[in-house]
């Protein structure tokens, strides 16, 4: 057996719980399938690798380990009559789910687990081995059957890949007594039975993804193939972040490479926020990333809140560590023992420290770049004060800065509020939050949080001081806060503003605000004239840089102007200036806005006052992007006073303001009941995820006397914002 490439981080969850995703677990999942292949005398190569939850995560692994074969995707569907379908297709094939039964949709994870005994991201035709009751209909893409080489699948676990021929695939399926339905799923076309005439066109059928063109040697793929719609949102998002050079995938699932185009955005956020908190008296520092088990477990409620996400180091080389060491999920338990040493007198307070660092939270849920990752970058501030009013003032001042990051820099509107008792930071007194919204999916996303910890942690870690107001010389425990904002900011910006052509960058955070492209040059243009135009482009870029505009001239003469237009549109640069011989003759440049589509995005600008014109236009673009995003967000925030209107509003991709009482069980019941009702929708298409309490907004609508809680019927105490969330 080949050893897995790279190092294995042994992780136990909570207090010495089982290791996650170990070699033994993957081997156990693959063993029955590999045994069946051996029984059928099918000899095929098997590769061991890091978990690949998506095709985009799988492809780099395939390339790195030189696996030969066509890449596949396997869908597990359920139609309105509860018939289950397994669809094996080539990765580039477009799959119209309606072709597999009326209102066919992805089966729930628990249905897939119960039927095929396989987890999401690992399903393949081999999973049919576990379908003891033969409940599943099997469909195979003719692209796979017409392929002359090997076909790649996961054998029951996404930490293994096998390569088999089409004949071996059919032999395996037929050995399990299944009938194979072959379907044509050519790239860009709707699936249809291969042996029957095409069905009449369904006007309600989902739009097929555009054709995926195979690249020639040396050719560069440019542009986005998937539309920004709910049904293709995951594919759209994956293509945007990779093809715009924001991010690349890594061989450890849930961890990603931030490329310079993305990291520059984070640096701009760092620059703004760092300067603001420095003016407030906060100082930067750095603490180690490792946490002793004793320190982490000292605050029981806190560690229980993070236990499922903690990654542990248990070995040094081949030797077991005498005490397991956690990798910080957050740094309260790292920093506060030091605070206890530093604070002896009220004169030692306040302590207000911030660090820019990475943290690790080994999430069980499906990772999503920028939004939910196992390692991410953030800033975390930790402060200690002598009195509660000072501490609470800082909580809200920091929250205002987070709102400014989103609204003034990212052009993303947010709702400021307080988390419910159920959703607040584990071990804290209260949590404040800024909540953003992704209209395409109808989901909220927590933007950043600022927590007041009260005296909970100071009592646990002994952060106390001699209180001058007490004559007996007794001590008082400090009041503490913690607050953090992460690289999730970048993902939210992409999701809110991106379009079918790629990124759309707000000027305040765009690494490049203006790109200048020479135009109107033909093959017969004299070299002297060509160089003169290039010089004018460089001069224009220099003029803009002098007034603080991040600009450059793109003089890549091995690409056409049209190709360069598309390249910078994909990267989301807010403003393109086109400059040609005719423009120079008129002493003007043609300005093209990225945020505006169609013919309205171009207008001439005079070169004489170009500095003022461009800076004013960038400010206008920033303002327009925020107002557009806010208008769309506001159209998806609805007030609901009666339960009968709640779930329909939720399924219409809205956030819901609802009156509730202070009973903690209310939000639990709302989430459960909205999930159940969503699953029972007549069209069987509504998401099954229930609504959670996103926050209790500070800006509260009027509460008429006698208003009842939407769930319990008791007198309502406040309006709460509910919605599906990331």
């Amino acid at each position: 057996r080949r050893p897995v490439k790279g190092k294995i981080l042994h992780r136990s969850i909570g207090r010495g719980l089982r290791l996650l995703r170990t070699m033994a677990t993957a081997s156990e999942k693959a063993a029955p399938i590999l045994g069946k292949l051996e029984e059928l005398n099918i000899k095929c190569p098997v590769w061991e690798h890091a978990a690949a939850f998506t095709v985009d995560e799988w492809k780099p692994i395939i390339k790195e380990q030189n696996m030969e074969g066509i890449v596949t995707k396997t869908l597990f569907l359920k139609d309105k009559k509860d018939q289950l379908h397994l669809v094996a297709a080539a990765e580039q094939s477009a799959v119209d789910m309606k072709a597999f039964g009326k209102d066919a949709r992805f089966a729930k994870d628990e249905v897939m687990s119960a039927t095929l005994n396989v987890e999401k991201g690992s399903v393949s035709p081999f999973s049919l081995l576990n379908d003891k009751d033969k409940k599943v209909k099997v469909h195979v893409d003719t692209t796979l059957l017409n392929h002359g080489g090997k076909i790649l699948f996961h054998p029951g676990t996404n930490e293994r890949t096998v390569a088999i021929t089409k004949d071996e695939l059919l032999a395996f399926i037929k050995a399990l007594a299944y009938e194979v339905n072959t379907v044509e799923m050519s790239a860009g076309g709707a699936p249809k039975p291969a042996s029957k005439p095409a069905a009449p066109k369904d006007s309600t059928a989902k739009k097929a993804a555009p054709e995926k063109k195979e690249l020639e040697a040396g050719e560069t793929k440019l542009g986005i193939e998937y539309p920004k719609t709910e049904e293709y949102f995951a594919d759209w998002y994956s293509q945007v972040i990779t093809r715009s050079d924001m991010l690349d995938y890594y061989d450890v699932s849930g961890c990603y490479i931030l490329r310079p185009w993305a990291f520059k955005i984070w640096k701009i956020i760092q620059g703004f926020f760092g300067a603001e908190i420095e003016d407030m008296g906060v100082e930067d520092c750095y603490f180690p990333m490792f946490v002793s088990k004793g320190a982490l477990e000292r605050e029981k409620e806190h560690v229980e809140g993070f236990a499922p996400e903690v990654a542990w180091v248990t070995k040094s080389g081949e030797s077991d560590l005498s005490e397991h060491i956690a990798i910080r999920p957050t740094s309260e338990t790292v920093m506060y023992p030091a605070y206890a040493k530093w604070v002896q007198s009220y004169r030692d307070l306040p302590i207000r420290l911030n660090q820019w660092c990475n943290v690790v939270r080994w999430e069980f849920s499906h990772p999503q770049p920028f939004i939910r990752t196992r390692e991410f970058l953030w800033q975390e501030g930790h402060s200690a004060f002598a009195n509660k009013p000072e501490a609470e003032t800082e909580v809200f001042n920091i929250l205002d800065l987070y709102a400014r990051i989103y609204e003034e820099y990212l052009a993303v509107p947010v709702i400021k509020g307080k988390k419910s008792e159920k959703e607040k930071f584990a071990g804290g007194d209260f949590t404040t939050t800024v909540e953003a919204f992704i209209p395409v999916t109808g989901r909220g996303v927590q933007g950043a949080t600022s927590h007041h910890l009260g005296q909970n942690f100071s009592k646990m870690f002994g952060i106390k001081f001699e209180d001058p107001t007490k004559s007996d010389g007794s001590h008082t425990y400090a009041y503490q806060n913690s607050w953090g904002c992460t690289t999730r900011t970048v993902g939210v910006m992409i999701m809110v503003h991106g379009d079918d052509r790629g990124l759309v960058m707000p000027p305040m955070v765009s690494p490049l605000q203006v790109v200048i492209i020479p135009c109107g040059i033909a093959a017969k243009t004299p070299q002297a004239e060509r160089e003169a135009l290039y010089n004018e482009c460089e001069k224009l870029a220099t003029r803009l840089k002098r007034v603080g505009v991040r600009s450059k001239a793109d003089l890549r003469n091995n690409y056409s102007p049209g190709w360069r237009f598309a390249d910078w549109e994909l990267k989301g640069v807010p403003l393109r200036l086109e400059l040609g011989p005719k423009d120079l003759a008129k002493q003007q440049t043609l300005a093209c806005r990225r945020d505006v589509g169609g013919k309205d995005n171009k207008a001439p600008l005079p070169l004489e006052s170009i500095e003022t014109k461009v800076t004013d236009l960038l400010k206008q673009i920033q303002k327009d992007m925020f107002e557009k995003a806010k208008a769309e967000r506001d159209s998806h925030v609805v007030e609901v006073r009666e339960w009968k209107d709640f779930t329909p509003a939720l399924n219409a991709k809205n956030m819901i303001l609802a009156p509730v009482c202070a009973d903690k069980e209310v939000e639990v019941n709302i989430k459960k009941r909205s999930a159940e009702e969503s699953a029972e929708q007549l069209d069987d298409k509504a998401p099954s995820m229930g609504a959670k309490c996103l926050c209790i907004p500070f800006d509260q609508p009027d509460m008429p006397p006698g208003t009842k809680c939407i769930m319990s019927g008791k007198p309502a105490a406040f309006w709460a914002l509910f919605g599906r969330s990331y």
Side-chain angles (χ1 to χ4, degrees):
R1 186 189 310 174
R2 292 181 54 191
V4 175
K5 185 175 181 179
K7 298 179 181 178
I8 299 174
L9 173 64
H10 293 272
R11 305 174 298 271
S12 53
I13 300 305
R15 302 175 183 177
L17 298 180
R18 61 181 176 83
L19 297 177
L20 294 178
R21 305 196 186 282
T22 61
M23 289 290 295
T25 301
S27 298
E28 288 174 359
K29 292 176 181 177
I33 291 169
L34 299 180
K36 185 65 176 179
L37 289 169
E38 187 175 346
E39 177 189 321
L40 297 172
N41 200 29
I42 297 175
K43 295 179 172 57
C44 54
V46 182
W47 290 272
E48 302 174 358
H49 50 75
F53 289 92
T54 65
V55 170
D56 283 328
E57 291 182 6
W58 196 15
K59 284 181 177 179
I61 296 171
I62 292 170
K63 182 177 180 181
E64 180 184 353
Q65 298 204 19
N66 297 315
M67 303 180 194
E68 293 185 4
I70 187 171
V71 184
T72 63
K73 57 187 175 186
T74 303
L75 286 66
F76 190 60
L77 311 175
K78 185 177 80 168
D79 62 27
K80 193 169 184 178
K81 295 181 179 179
D82 292 332
Q83 174 62 55
L84 299 173
H85 303 264
L86 186 141
V87 183
E91 181 268 335
Q92 72 270 21
S93 294
V95 179
D96 183 355
M97 290 192 285
K98 288 188 174 69
F100 302 101
K102 185 176 180 182
D103 292 335
R105 55 180 291 185
F106 288 108
K108 294 181 180 179
D109 292 352
E110 53 265 32
V111 175
M112 183 167 64
S113 178
T115 308
L116 301 179
N117 191 28
V118 69
E119 298 174 358
K120 186 176 181 180
S122 300
V123 66
S124 75
F126 297 131
S127 307
L128 295 168
L129 182 65
N130 299 315
D131 178 24
K132 305 303 181 184
D133 298 326
K134 298 294 183 287
K135 296 179 179 179
V136 181
K137 286 188 176 180
V138 183
H139 312 269
V140 179
D141 181 5
T142 54
T143 303
L144 299 182
L145 300 180
N146 294 332
H147 181 66
K150 295 282 189 176
I151 306 170
L152 302 177
F153 289 109
H154 292 309
T157 169
N158 58 8
E159 295 181 53
R160 300 287 187 277
T161 296
V162 300
I164 61 174
T165 66
K166 63 180 180 182
D167 293 333
E168 291 168 339
L169 171 64
L170 294 176
F172 183 92
I173 297 173
K174 291 178 180 178
L176 301 177
Y178 287 95
E179 179 183 349
V180 176
N181 302 302
T182 58
V183 288
E184 293 180 5
M185 290 182 261
S186 58
K192 58 186 178 182
S195 56
K196 299 178 182 178
K201 184 176 180 180
D202 182 356
S203 60
T204 64
K206 144 176 144 176
K207 178 183 176 183
E211 181 177 354
K212 291 189 174 182
K213 176 177 172 279
E214 293 298 321
L215 298 181
E216 301 294 336
E219 186 180 0
T220 304
K221 178 158 274 190
L222 188 66
I224 305 301
E225 295 158 355
Y226 290 96
K228 187 187 178 184
T229 60
E230 185 176 13
E231 57 194 342
Y232 289 119
F233 189 73
D235 298 300
W236 170 86
Y237 183 69
S238 180
Q239 284 194 346
V240 167
I241 60 178
T242 53
R243 295 188 180 177
S244 65
D245 295 336
M246 294 283 278
L247 173 147
D248 207 348
Y249 289 92
Y250 191 59
D251 64 357
V252 176
S253 177
C255 299
Y256 305 92
I257 301 167
L258 297 190
R259 301 185 67 177
W261 199 245
F263 200 81
K264 287 175 183 176
I265 299 172
W266 184 236
K267 285 185 68 176
I268 290 169
I269 293 172
Q270 280 183 307
F272 161 72
F273 187 78
E276 291 290 330
I277 61 175
E278 185 176 352
D279 287 345
M280 291 170 55
V282 178
E283 297 179 293
D284 280 345
C285 65
Y286 185 79
F287 279 73
M289 68 183 297
F290 297 114
V291 194
S292 70
K293 186 177 182 182
L296 185 65
E297 295 180 349
R298 192 176 298 179
E299 215 295 327
K300 182 180 179 183
E301 184 179 354
H302 174 74
V303 72
E304 286 179 351
F306 281 104
E309 302 173 353
V310 176
W312 295 89
V313 179
T314 63
K315 297 178 77 70
S316 172
E318 295 301 319
S319 303
D320 292 332
L321 295 180
S322 58
E323 181 182 19
H324 294 177
I325 298 173
I327 301 175
R328 62 179 169 219
T330 180
S331 294
E332 282 79 3
T333 55
V334 179
M335 300 172 75
Y336 296 167
Y339 281 32
K341 289 194 299 182
W342 298 341
V343 175
Q344 301 298 323
S345 164
Y346 72 93
R347 295 183 182 89
D348 297 323
L349 295 171
I351 295 178
R352 306 176 74 183
L353 299 181
N354 174 72
Q355 64 173 353
W356 299 90
C357 62
N358 63 337
V359 291
V360 173
R361 297 181 185 175
W362 212 265
E363 306 250 12
F364 282 97
S365 56
H366 183 60
Q368 187 162 23
F370 293 117
I371 299 299
R372 187 171 292 279
T373 62
R374 286 175 171 164
E375 180 194 18
F376 55 86
L377 302 180
W378 74 346
Q379 62 71 215
E380 55 174 326
H382 296 270
S383 52
F385 293 87
N387 61 72
K388 187 173 183 176
E390 280 187 299
E392 289 187 339
T393 297
E394 184 195 67
V395 168
F396 296 107
N397 288 342
I398 293 295
L399 193 74
D400 288 341
L401 291 181
Y402 289 153
R404 289 181 61 190
I405 289 173
Y406 276 95
E407 298 193 338
E408 295 179 16
Y409 280 76
L410 301 172
V412 172
V414 291
I415 294 174
K416 293 191 288 187
K418 180 181 176 182
K419 286 290 188 180
S420 67
E421 286 298 303
K422 182 178 181 297
E423 296 291 334
K424 74 177 184 179
F425 182 71
D429 269 14
F430 66 84
T431 291
T432 63
T433 181
V434 289
E435 297 288 326
F437 180 69
I438 313 301
V440 173
T441 60
R443 287 185 174 191
V445 56
Q446 179 179 287
T449 49
S450 181
H451 317 283
H452 178 54
L453 307 179
Q455 295 176 310
N456 299 331
F457 283 86
S458 63
K459 289 179 179 178
M460 189 60 60
F461 288 92
I463 307 172
K464 57 186 178 180
F465 58 93
E466 292 184 7
D467 192 336
T469 65
K470 296 181 179 179
S471 59
D472 60 359
S474 60
H475 289 75
T476 295
Y477 288 99
Y479 291 88
Q480 293 185 263
N481 301 327
S482 67
W483 25 275
C485 181
T486 80
T487 41
R488 173 178 283 190
T489 50
V490 180
V492 172
M493 178 203 72
I494 296 167
M495 289 182 169
V496 170
H497 298 304
D499 63 17
D500 289 353
R501 292 180 291 160
L503 296 174
V504 181
M505 291 277 204
M508 287 292 286
V509 294
S510 184
L512 185 65
Q513 295 170 314
V514 176
V515 62
I516 302 158
I517 299 179
C519 301
I521 298 175
K524 297 181 180 180
T525 302
Q527 185 63 25
E529 187 176 328
R530 187 189 303 267
E531 290 181 359
L533 180 59
Y534 287 174
N535 288 336
E536 290 300 322
C537 290
E538 291 280 23
K539 289 178 183 178
L540 182 54
T542 300
R543 288 175 63 183
L544 294 175
K545 288 176 183 177
R546 286 173 179 165
V547 294
V549 176
R550 296 185 290 274
S551 57
K552 72 173 287 184
D554 183 354
L555 307 181
R556 293 177 291 174
N557 57 16
N558 56 324
Y559 293 110
S560 69
W563 193 98
R564 283 175 277 173
F565 293 170
D567 186 34
W568 293 112
E569 285 179 354
L570 175 60
K571 289 180 168 65
V573 173
L575 191 62
R576 181 178 76 241
L577 298 182
E578 300 174 11
L579 191 64
K582 293 182 179 179
D583 297 306
L584 285 175
K586 297 178 182 179
Q587 281 298 290
Q588 69 177 29
T589 179
L590 190 62
C592 307
R593 291 176 55 162
R594 176 63 181 88
D595 65 308
V596 179
K599 297 179 181 180
D600 298 330
N601 73 334
K602 294 187 177 184
L605 295 180
L607 291 176
E608 181 180 5
S609 55
I610 194 66
E611 294 90 346
T612 302
K613 294 294 185 182
V614 166
T615 52
D616 288 347
L617 185 53
L618 290 174
K619 290 176 183 177
Q620 189 62 48
I621 292 172
Q622 184 80 24
K623 180 174 180 289
D624 291 350
M625 288 183 67
F626 175 76
E627 290 180 351
K628 177 184 176 182
K630 187 175 185 301
E632 188 167 19
R633 192 280 312 273
D634 289 347
S635 70
H636 286 276
V637 180
V638 298
E639 289 185 17
V640 171
R641 298 170 185 267
E642 298 182 28
W643 179 258
K644 65 180 178 63
D645 301 320
F646 188 96
T647 305
L650 179 69
N651 289 338
K653 298 196 291 189
N654 293 313
M655 293 191 293
I656 299 166
L657 278 168
V660 293
C661 64
D663 187 345
K664 291 182 181 180
E665 291 301 310
V666 162
E667 63 181 291
V668 175
N669 293 334
I670 286 176
K671 184 174 184 178
K672 179 180 178 182
R673 187 168 172 184
S674 59
E676 291 171 348
E677 291 184 0
S678 293
E680 296 171 357
Q681 293 296 307
L682 293 177
D683 63 3
D684 198 31
K685 289 183 180 179
S688 59
M689 182 191 298
K692 66 182 288 187
C693 180
L694 303 175
C695 72
I696 302 164
F698 294 146
D699 186 9
Q700 288 274 303
D702 292 335
M703 181 78 75
T707 301
K708 302 293 185 183
C709 171
I710 195 169
M711 176 56 63
S712 69
K714 298 176 183 178
F718 46 78
W719 291 86
L721 185 70
F722 290 88
R724 296 190 171 100
S725 71
Y726 284 95

